[in-house]
Amino acid sequence: MTFKQKGDDDYFIRLLSYLRSQFKESIIEMVPYRKSVILIKTEKNTYMLKGFHTNKRLRLQEAFTSTLRSEGFEKTYLFVHPEIKDPLFFEGTYFGCMEYISPNKTPFSFQSQKNRQEGLELLEQFHKVTSSFESRYRTIIPKGIIIEKWKDRGAAFASNLSTIKYFINEQILADMLDWANWSLSGMEKDRSLFINEPFCILHGDVAHHNFLRDSKGSLHLIDFDLISIGPALLDYLQYANRILPSLDWSFERLSLYPQFQSLLNEKAFLYALAFPADIFREWNRLIREGSYRDQHKYNQMMNLSVGQYYSRKKFIDTLKKLAK
């Protein structure tokens, strides 16, 4: 076995023993990626195990990925059911068994234009397919919300300012809070853009690590833990926030992507692009976990908050002019 998480050796040894008692196939290798994501190799097959806190959540993911495939979205995994003695339940976690997608030697990232465009096209295809069956899931998965979510995130960031001010100067912090207030006030003026139909099923976490290029070069969309129902632009808004650092916060470069061109004519979308969702999210997490003592994470946060500050400020100044 290979352990990537220090301190969890005992847990994984117990888990391996349990899995060997449950699988009828002989397990020859186990590689934990996280405590809840584990690669299993047997004499015949390779699987990915994923843990869920409830059996209901596991069954939802099984049903959703099955619906995706049956409705024509092929670029993801399916849950599979190898021969096992009982449903996999270990120390409070329900484990589902998924197809293993052999990864490409070059991991997917938003650094390249090709990847950014291909990711957008795959997301667009995902929305098109899920729009055909989202009504079936309206009573099962939550509705996508953004204004209230961002208000809560901003309030948490404000409550952490007494700590954050030791790392970032007051003028930069004041600008971040101003961006957030300007953004939310503009979004409130046209709230309908973020809540009105047509709806699809939103992915909800379009980070680079949820796009997986396989060994043959085909791109897949994975990890549907945060799916919700809402207008597709909520995913595109998050995608824009994810790729803008790679575009050096250039409005002109963002406007070249076909999927954003009509959205950039919507004032409410321009307001939403100004919200520093990534900064607030990562600082709140850093303080919650106490991981600002981790030099690597600290460096990442300083680049996000300070290193990109002037480029982001120029971008938001452009948004303010366009939104007048």
Side-chain angles (χ1 to χ4, degrees):
M1 286 190 298
T2 303
F3 296 124
K4 294 191 174 185
Q5 287 191 320
K6 293 179 181 178
D8 288 327
D9 297 28
D10 290 344
Y11 171 83
F12 290 127
I13 290 169
R14 295 194 306 275
L15 177 60
L16 176 60
S17 178
Y18 167 76
L19 293 174
R20 281 179 166 159
S21 73
Q22 296 301 107
F23 272 73
K24 294 187 177 180
E25 299 176 34
S26 179
I27 295 174
I28 59 175
E29 187 176 359
M30 170 175 151
V31 183
Y33 288 87
R34 297 192 298 276
K35 199 167 185 177
S36 61
V37 179
I38 297 153
L39 181 145
I40 293 289
K41 285 186 179 181
T42 71
E43 291 178 334
K44 297 180 180 179
N45 299 293
T46 301
Y47 307 106
M48 292 299 296
L49 297 187
K50 183 166 182 178
F52 298 87
H53 292 305
T54 67
N55 190 48
K56 181 180 179 181
R57 193 67 185 169
L58 168 58
R59 299 306 170 208
L60 170 61
Q61 293 292 308
E62 289 180 335
F64 178 69
T65 51
S66 177
T67 305
L68 268 180
R69 280 286 188 91
S70 65
E71 294 294 330
F73 189 81
E74 300 286 339
K75 301 298 181 67
T76 192
Y77 50 72
L78 270 179
F79 283 81
V80 294
H81 300 277
E83 282 194 274
I84 54 176
K85 294 179 181 177
D86 296 297
L88 298 174
F89 179 72
F90 180 74
E91 295 188 8
T93 299
Y94 294 87
F95 283 95
C97 198
M98 302 180 300
E99 293 174 320
Y100 174 69
I101 300 173
S102 180
N104 199 278
K105 292 180 180 179
T106 304
F108 180 90
S109 81
F110 290 139
Q111 295 300 312
S112 79
Q113 163 66 16
K114 178 181 181 295
N115 280 357
R116 292 190 294 267
Q117 184 60 57
E118 196 173 353
L120 262 177
E121 291 169 359
L122 185 61
L123 188 61
E124 186 176 33
Q125 182 188 350
F126 173 78
H127 291 151
K128 183 177 180 180
V129 171
T130 62
S131 68
S132 69
F133 66 82
E134 56 83 17
S135 59
R136 290 181 240 166
Y137 281 82
R138 287 194 183 188
T139 60
I140 305 173
I141 62 178
K143 204 165 185 179
I145 57 172
I146 189 168
I147 295 177
E148 291 74 19
K149 176 183 175 181
W150 280 0
K151 283 181 178 178
D152 290 344
R153 187 176 293 180
F157 182 81
S159 71
N160 287 325
L161 283 177
S162 58
T163 300
I164 299 171
K165 69 181 182 181
Y166 289 108
F167 304 98
I168 303 176
N169 75 52
E170 290 186 9
Q171 183 56 56
I172 292 179
L173 284 176
D175 282 346
M176 290 175 181
L177 294 173
D178 174 71
W179 298 338
N181 292 332
W182 181 82
S183 173
L184 289 171
S185 67
M187 292 170 71
E188 286 279 14
K189 292 175 185 175
D190 191 6
R191 175 181 282 265
S192 62
L193 184 69
F194 307 103
I195 60 175
N196 283 359
E197 298 189 38
F199 288 162
C200 62
I201 295 180
L202 303 167
H203 183 276
D205 188 12
V206 291
H208 68 90
H209 54 258
N210 287 329
F211 292 88
L212 175 64
R213 193 175 300 284
D214 69 20
S215 56
K216 295 180 180 179
S218 183
L219 191 62
H220 299 259
L221 188 61
I222 63 173
D223 194 351
F224 304 102
D225 289 351
L226 298 181
I227 54 174
S228 61
I229 302 264
L233 70 89
L234 296 183
D235 267 350
Y236 291 130
L237 181 59
Q238 189 185 88
Y239 195 94
N241 192 254
R242 296 285 186 173
I243 68 172
L244 273 164
S246 299
L247 302 178
D248 196 28
W249 291 90
S250 167
F251 183 88
E252 290 74 18
R253 293 175 68 186
L254 182 67
S255 67
L256 295 177
Y257 293 93
Q259 291 80 2
F260 289 118
Q261 287 170 0
S262 63
L263 292 172
L264 294 175
N265 290 321
E266 299 282 354
K267 281 191 176 183
F269 192 79
L270 298 179
Y271 278 106
L273 283 172
F275 192 85
D278 51 344
I279 293 175
F280 287 7
R281 179 188 65 241
E282 296 306 320
W283 272 112
N284 290 341
R285 177 185 298 161
L286 205 71
I287 291 173
R288 183 173 65 248
E289 297 175 353
S291 51
Y292 45 81
R293 299 178 184 87
D294 181 314
Q295 190 63 43
H296 177 66
K297 290 182 179 180
Y298 170 78
N299 290 341
Q300 286 182 322
M301 282 309 304
M302 293 309 290
N303 176 59
L304 180 66
S305 308
V306 181
Q308 298 179 30
Y309 167 73
Y310 291 104
S311 296
R312 190 190 295 244
K313 186 177 186 303
K314 182 179 177 182
F315 172 75
I316 294 174
D317 288 342
T318 299
L319 296 177
K320 288 183 175 182
K321 290 177 183 176
L322 291 170
K324 286 183 178 179

